[in-house]
Amino acid sequence: MEMVLIIAERTRCDEIKRLFPSGRCAFVRAESETEARRKTLDFNFSLVVVDLMLGISASKDISIFASMQDVDTILLVPEDLHAHFASLMLKYGVYVSVFSRESLTAVFSAICVSREKIRKAEEKNKKLLLRLKNEKLITEAKCLLSSKKGLSESEAHSYIERKAMNCRISLTDAAMSIINQLS
């Protein structure tokens, strides 16, 4: 469930809540910039929605602040100001939406797509880092075998493979064993 901070006055907050699909979000409200900053730091929100009706300066500042805390942030603006604020807030990573269900749904969907892409990229990065770590261990073991036992690189690699097969362990574990043994 999404934890959403809505920064708006009370009646406007209720209107904003109705724009979201029911049951998908838990809402917390803040009425001022100070309260919003404190709640942004105190809670783990996945989304912050700021209503421009609080005032242009305060709305802009809290939107930027929330975005800088790595929280997806949507600034709700009147339709006639959408283009201006969309280009202005782009550099801060703040999404801008018109106050309508269709616009907010489109922006929220874009946020969900980007979250999924980031999750997949992080997963891929984790696998690549593990692979790099394993290659580093194997290379270190080969270097030790070359320097301590006088083996060529291909002989050292074959030695590590044989040790892994004979001991029924992974190449990485075999390399670690060789490193512990020879260093």
Side-chain angles (χ1 to χ4, degrees):
M1 182 174 290
E2 295 272 339
M3 278 290 293
V4 180
L5 174 63
I6 298 177
I7 305 158
E9 58 109 48
R10 183 177 305 277
T11 56
R12 185 78 165 172
C13 180
D14 292 336
E15 292 174 25
I16 293 169
K17 286 180 187 178
R18 284 191 287 273
L19 296 176
F20 284 89
S22 61
R24 273 188 76 183
C25 303
F27 298 101
V28 175
R29 184 176 60 84
E31 282 193 38
S32 69
E33 184 179 351
T34 306
E35 182 184 8
R37 285 177 186 267
R38 184 175 44 77
K39 286 183 176 180
T40 301
L41 293 172
D42 290 346
F43 295 97
N44 190 20
F45 294 107
S46 56
L47 182 65
V48 171
V49 179
V50 183
D51 186 15
L52 191 67
M53 297 300 190
L54 283 176
I56 292 175
S57 181
S59 298
K60 200 171 97 178
D61 289 346
I62 192 60
S63 295
I64 294 168
F65 175 78
S67 183
M68 300 286 245
Q69 304 307 311
D70 293 329
V71 181
D72 292 321
T73 306
I74 300 173
L75 178 61
L76 292 176
V77 300
E79 195 166 344
D80 59 328
L81 295 176
H82 183 267
H84 169 72
F85 275 96
S87 64
L88 180 70
M89 302 307 276
L90 181 66
K91 64 183 170 189
Y92 301 109
V94 175
Y95 296 87
V96 178
S97 173
V98 173
F99 190 84
S100 74
R101 181 179 303 275
E102 296 79 27
S103 180
L104 189 62
T105 300
V107 170
F108 190 61
S109 295
I111 289 171
C112 292
V113 167
S114 64
R115 285 177 182 168
E116 183 61 20
K117 285 183 176 183
I118 289 169
R119 187 194 65 74
K120 285 180 180 177
E122 286 173 343
E123 193 176 287
K124 186 176 181 180
N125 190 39
K126 198 175 184 180
K127 288 177 183 176
L128 289 171
L129 286 172
L130 180 61
R131 185 172 159 201
L132 182 64
K133 178 184 167 196
N134 291 343
E135 288 296 322
K136 182 180 173 191
L137 282 172
I138 292 168
T139 301
E140 186 178 347
K142 285 186 208 177
C143 289
L144 280 171
L145 286 168
S146 292
S147 65
K148 303 274 183 175
K149 295 198 175 206
L151 300 176
S152 69
E153 183 183 352
S154 62
E155 291 170 332
H157 189 76
S158 295
Y159 183 89
I160 295 168
E161 284 179 332
R162 277 194 312 277
K163 181 170 181 100
M165 284 190 295
N166 291 342
C167 296
R168 291 190 170 100
I169 57 177
S170 69
L171 281 175
T172 309
D173 290 340
M176 184 60 91
S177 171
I178 291 166
I179 291 168
N180 290 335
Q181 183 183 4
L182 296 179
S183 56

